[in-house]
Amino acid sequence: QVQLVESGGGLVQPGGSLRLSCAASDFNLAYYTVGWFRQAPGKEREGVSGISATDSKTYYADSVKGRFTIFRDNAKNTVHLQMNNLKPEDTAVYYCAAHRRPKAAILLPYEYDLWGQGTQVTVSS
């Protein structure tokens, strides 16, 4: 069954770190552009980070630049999002998504057609 499964969310104190994982089943994630998105209560889903399929170029929202890092582990068919120096405003449900359109935008949710179920990240003291 073709699917994406996120893991790694949880409760962390401000300044802490988490690593989210997005694992693909029944398809090779290395050939897909992968994005991480988040949605807080009452807010629209927003793009956080993405990594292209063609050259593994990485993209970040301004709010997470210098704190988050996206990278592939092709041996495990997984894309990770390392999140450091977490802030309370990072609290949200985080989703990974994938598409295979080279000219599509990286951080726009409507460009993606494969989505995971989401994982909760809560940053609180």
Side-chain angles (χ1 to χ4, degrees):
Q1 180 180 0
V2 172
Q3 62 178 353
L4 294 170
V5 178
E6 301 98 334
S7 61
L11 172 64
V12 64
Q13 292 185 343
S17 298
L18 285 174
R19 178 176 291 184
L20 304 184
S21 299
C22 174
S25 297
D26 284 353
F27 70 100
N28 192 335
L29 198 56
Y31 298 135
Y32 286 71
T33 291
V34 177
W36 281 97
F37 299 84
R38 66 187 181 188
Q39 189 165 18
K43 295 188 176 181
E44 293 187 354
R45 191 168 297 190
E46 64 172 346
V48 174
S49 181
I51 185 166
S52 67
T54 53
D55 56 5
S56 287
K57 186 175 180 180
T58 56
Y59 302 79
Y60 299 94
D62 288 343
S63 59
V64 306
K65 280 181 182 176
R67 301 188 298 122
F68 290 11
T69 303
I70 188 171
F71 60 99
R72 295 184 182 272
D73 183 347
N74 290 335
K76 295 184 178 180
N77 208 21
T78 298
V79 170
H80 299 285
L81 184 68
Q82 178 67 40
M83 306 187 296
N84 298 329
N85 190 21
L86 283 161
K87 304 176 180 180
E89 51 264 42
D90 294 319
T91 295
V93 177
Y94 283 71
Y95 301 88
C96 69
H99 71 64
R100 205 173 177 181
R101 296 189 293 278
K103 296 184 178 181
I106 301 295
L107 295 181
L108 295 179
Y110 65 77
E111 295 284 13
Y112 290 79
D113 43 24
L114 288 173
W115 287 86
Q117 81 289 350
T119 186
Q120 176 70 46
V121 171
T122 302
V123 185
S124 175
S125 55

